[in-house]
Amino acid sequence: MLSRRTDLPLDADVLGRFLPWIIAFMVFLAVLATAGMFVLQDAASRWSAGVARTLTVQIPPPTGERILPPAEDPRVLEALKILRTTPGIVRANVLSDDRLASLLEPWLGRASAVSGLPLPRLIDVEIEAGTTVDAQALGQRLAEAIAGASVDDHRIWLDRLLRLLGAVEWVAMAILACIGLATVGTVVYATRTSLAVHRQVIEVLHLIGAQDAYVARQFAWRALSLGLRGGLIGLSLALPALLAVGYVAAHIDSELLPRASLSPLQWGMIAAIPLLASAVAMLTARVTVMKTLAAML
Amino acid sequence: MGFDVNDCVVRFENVGLRYGLGPEVLQDISIALTPASYHFLVGPSGAGKSSLLRLMYLALRPTRGLISLFGRDIAVTPRDELPALRRRIGVVFQEFRLLSHLSAFDNVALPLRVAGTRESDVQRHVEELLAWVGLKDHIHARLPTLSGGQQQRVAIARAVITKPQLLLADEPTGNVDDRMALRLMHLFEELNKLGTTIVIATHNETLVKRLGHPCLRVDGGRLVSDRPEGFLKSRGSAGDGHGAEPTPSPRTLGILS
Ligand SMILES: Nc1ncnc2c1ncn2[C@@H]1O[C@H](COP(=O)(O)OP(=O)(O)OP(=O)(O)O)[C@@H](O)[C@H]1O
Ligand SMILES: [Mg+2]
């Protein structure tokens, strides 16, 4: 790759063959971890934005002998009136019995079994984008007008979910930090070994009047070149893996699964990982060489 | 004579050296070499000649005593200033210590490149000098393909390419025939005339006699004689003893000018 005149027979040593593969592996893992982190961050922000725009009003099941359909229940009509006069609310829909039944189906089975049950009335409320509605105040107003009415703004559910996502993000970051440390450790070890192998040559360079930086530069350039080589291998292995995961995710029909697509900026950051890895390798090699040489006369 | 010891290129005072925990291989060495002096370093094998030179070219630190080079006490010279000192010293190692993965050209070019010389100048100087030591046809040969004597000439070329102020050579003519030995010595003479201080360790008594420079004689790790006339001045006293060889001066070739 980067061809530069060097005085050290660095290309001939075994490390040149194994360091790129280690770095390729590290970059592979780092790309996957980073992509995963981005998808989670996206999902978290999208969910909190989406959930913040909906409320659910709940009215206890009717108690009389005659059970009216939800849309005819006077308590529901009263609630709708209040909701429609509340600023910031775009839409308020009563969930029909059929819809309720279908929501309950996974737990309670066929719709017919559900139809006789006293079900709470649910009103799905959509809030205008960019505004907030004080759910607590609204709940109070509704409860005053209708006994037992309450407002659920999904905060508790959302908070738990976000906390979970946050924890997973931390894990991803910890993995990235471990990958970084492992890379640094590997480069330190590889550089030290290489220094030991080329000790004779380095000593001659020294006696000829080479500064430590002159020797360090040669190691640093090589680490950069090997790092780039490895980084590109790692990236080219990770990309198909990412695309495959994205493809599978796109074909699972689930609202809960985060959408596995990345923004151009995020793709850019992922593409920068091999560069970052080789920069780390270069810097590490330089520091290692300078430290080792400082112990020489 | 009013001579200031700080003007000495090399000064040793009661220097002792031991390798690890071994016995002292050099004891109570005191030397003062003036600018442009020329000495042979002689003595039996194992006497400590190479060790003495190693101290001079800063490959080793003495275990006791004081060493100063170019007027600087090396014990108190910061480590990052040593490369600059070393660049003023040319060394021909007894075992050559050439870089076997490089060509003859790149080996000789090394001291120039390390010092940051422009590549066009490197090219010119190195080719000229290699031609002068008789390696015109081997400029780009890889080191292992050269004979012992040829490698030795590469080592000598590497040592003199920067026109150092101090030239230290350890058995520089051990692997070449007498004619080539004399020719190489001629190179050292020319350098010396330009002001380079020279110390050559050798077993070659004929050469020592022929050139007539003062001798530093080591035996059993001690300096047994330092001819006083060599202490301050050696130039001129020996300059005419070797005129028999009709070799062209390296200076006329521009190598050493
Ligand atoms: N690296 C070393 N470690 C331990 N002892 C050493 C080392 N180098 C040299 N010696 C010892 O120091 C003494 C002097 O060795 P030195 O190489 O200086 O001798 P020399 O005069 O150069 O010999 P020769 O003429 O054979 O080259 C010897 O006894 C040798 O065994
Ligand atoms: Mg020796």
Side-chain angles (χ1 to χ4, degrees):
Chain A
M1 196 166 290
L2 289 169
S3 70
R4 244 174 152 260
R5 202 189 57 73
T6 73
D7 309 322
L8 296 162
L10 293 177
D11 286 334
D13 70 24
V14 270
L15 294 165
R17 259 170 281 154
F18 111 102
L19 193 62
W21 288 105
I22 297 279
I23 292 194
F25 182 60
M26 300 293 178
V27 166
F28 178 80
L29 293 179
V31 166
L32 294 190
T34 308
M37 208 170 72
F38 284 155
V39 167
L40 288 182
Q41 277 173 353
D42 261 16
S45 63
R46 208 140 23 77
W47 279 334
S48 47
V51 167
R53 287 185 53 204
T54 63
L55 295 174
T56 305
V57 173
Q58 185 175 331
I59 294 166
T63 46
E65 304 93 63
R66 251 188 80 228
I67 295 177
L68 292 167
E72 286 163 35
D73 189 325
R75 299 175 305 158
V76 172
L77 296 176
E78 176 66 22
L80 284 177
K81 211 160 78 193
I82 295 174
L83 288 171
R84 283 175 184 149
T85 55
T86 306
I89 289 180
V90 186
R91 193 176 50 81
N93 283 344
V94 189
L95 264 58
S96 68
D97 271 340
D98 287 349
R99 177 85 179 112
L100 270 180
S102 76
L103 282 177
L104 290 173
E105 200 183 274
W107 286 274
L108 300 178
R110 304 298 313 160
S112 54
V114 181
S115 58
L117 290 173
L119 295 175
R121 291 9 189 142
L122 297 181
I123 304 174
D124 190 17
V125 179
E126 190 183 331
I127 296 165
E128 194 178 342
T131 61
T132 51
V133 167
D134 186 345
Q136 222 177 342
L138 182 65
Q140 225 154 21
R141 268 176 66 204
L142 285 169
E144 276 162 21
I146 306 139
S150 64
V151 172
D152 178 8
D153 64 354
H154 318 296
R155 266 269 66 103
I156 295 176
W157 176 78
L158 183 67
D159 282 350
R160 280 198 199 135
L161 187 67
L162 290 183
R163 229 175 298 138
L164 174 69
L165 286 186
V168 176
E169 253 176 64
W170 274 107
V171 170
M173 271 189 248
I175 290 174
L176 281 177
C178 288
I179 293 171
L181 282 179
T183 309
V184 168
T186 309
V187 174
V188 167
Y189 166 78
T191 307
R192 287 227 186 105
T193 312
S194 190
L195 278 169
V197 168
H198 304 301
R199 195 187 166 80
Q200 298 286 327
V201 175
I202 291 169
E203 212 172 277
V204 171
L205 288 177
H206 254 227
L207 293 176
I208 280 172
Q211 305 269 9
D212 291 350
Y214 180 90
V215 178
R217 207 178 316 139
Q218 308 202 8
F219 278 91
W221 272 102
R222 187 170 88 119
L224 179 69
S225 141
L226 293 178
L228 275 178
R229 207 177 305 170
L232 290 180
I233 296 174
L235 186 65
S236 58
L237 292 179
L239 286 184
L242 277 189
L243 293 177
V245 171
Y247 178 82
V248 170
H251 285 74
I252 295 176
D253 199 20
S254 168
E255 306 247 322
L256 264 182
L257 260 187
R259 203 183 43 190
S261 72
L262 300 174
S263 71
L265 176 70
Q266 289 170 329
W267 279 118
M269 285 166 84
I270 283 177
I273 289 176
L275 301 181
L276 188 72
S278 26
V280 166
M282 179 177 181
L283 211 69
T284 308
R286 191 190 152 80
V287 170
T288 309
V289 173
M290 293 300 275
K291 269 194 177 161
T292 311
L293 293 186
M296 280 172 79
L297 174 63
Chain B
M1 299 230 254
F3 183 77
D4 185 354
V5 286
N6 284 323
D7 289 344
C8 287
V9 175
V10 178
R11 193 158 68 90
F12 278 42
E13 264 178 40
N14 297 314
V15 166
L17 173 73
R18 55 174 90 233
Y19 288 99
L21 298 172
E24 268 201 326
V25 297
L26 290 175
Q27 293 168 43
D28 302 318
I29 306 278
S30 294
I31 320 172
L33 302 180
T34 56
S37 60
Y38 193 140
H39 288 83
F40 284 116
L41 181 58
V42 295
S45 180
K49 302 183 294 297
S50 297
S51 302
L52 188 59
L53 290 179
R54 275 180 211 137
L55 288 173
M56 289 188 192
Y57 59 74
L58 298 176
L60 292 175
R61 297 244 186 208
T63 29
R64 62 186 173 90
L66 172 135
I67 295 181
S68 77
L69 293 174
F70 309 106
R72 301 194 59 173
D73 179 353
I74 60 142
V76 298
T77 303
R79 189 175 172 278
D80 61 344
E81 288 174 25
L82 294 180
L85 280 187
R86 288 185 173 121
R87 285 178 199 177
R88 297 162 75 178
I89 307 172
V91 187
V92 184
F93 302 97
Q94 185 165 20
E95 60 283 15
F96 311 156
R97 307 190 72 167
L98 296 166
L99 308 194
S100 58
H101 59 286
L102 297 181
S103 67
F105 181 94
D106 285 332
N107 267 282
V108 177
L110 210 50
L112 294 176
R113 286 174 173 159
V114 158
T117 309
R118 274 214 324 271
E119 203 56 27
S120 56
D121 292 342
V122 170
Q123 187 84 15
R124 200 162 46 80
H125 283 113
V126 172
E127 280 178 0
E128 213 169 343
L129 185 56
L130 277 173
W132 202 85
V133 296
L135 294 174
K136 198 180 177 52
D137 299 331
H138 302 279
I139 285 179
H140 297 291
R142 281 178 39 79
L143 253 282
T145 67
L146 297 180
S147 74
Q150 288 168 331
Q151 293 191 24
Q152 188 153 44
R153 283 178 273 159
V154 174
I156 290 170
R158 184 180 69 183
V160 303
I161 188 76
T162 54
K163 285 162 230 148
Q165 285 165 270
L166 173 63
L167 184 94
L168 306 171
D170 203 344
E171 288 288 343
T173 55
N175 293 280
V176 294
D177 58 62
D178 284 350
R179 246 184 78 84
M180 183 47 82
L182 215 55
R183 187 179 165 89
L184 293 173
M185 285 297 169
H186 194 51
L187 186 65
F188 297 146
E189 297 293 322
E190 290 296 333
L191 261 182
N192 182 236
K193 282 183 192 148
L194 291 169
T196 297
T197 304
I198 293 184
V199 180
I200 296 177
T202 182
H203 289 289
N204 191 332
E205 295 285 347
T206 15
L207 212 60
V208 172
K209 283 208 191 83
R210 181 156 185 182
L211 296 181
H213 294 300
C215 287
L216 297 165
R217 191 171 297 276
V218 210
D219 203 345
R222 287 179 181 277
L223 213 53
V224 288
S225 84
D226 176 0
R227 269 185 22 204
E229 67 267 33
F231 181 84
L232 289 178
K233 202 75 192 144
S234 70
R235 226 213 284 185
S237 63
D240 11 51
H242 65 97
E245 194 70 10
T247 35
S249 157
R251 237 188 311 181
T252 60
L253 291 163
I255 296 167
L256 297 175
S257 53

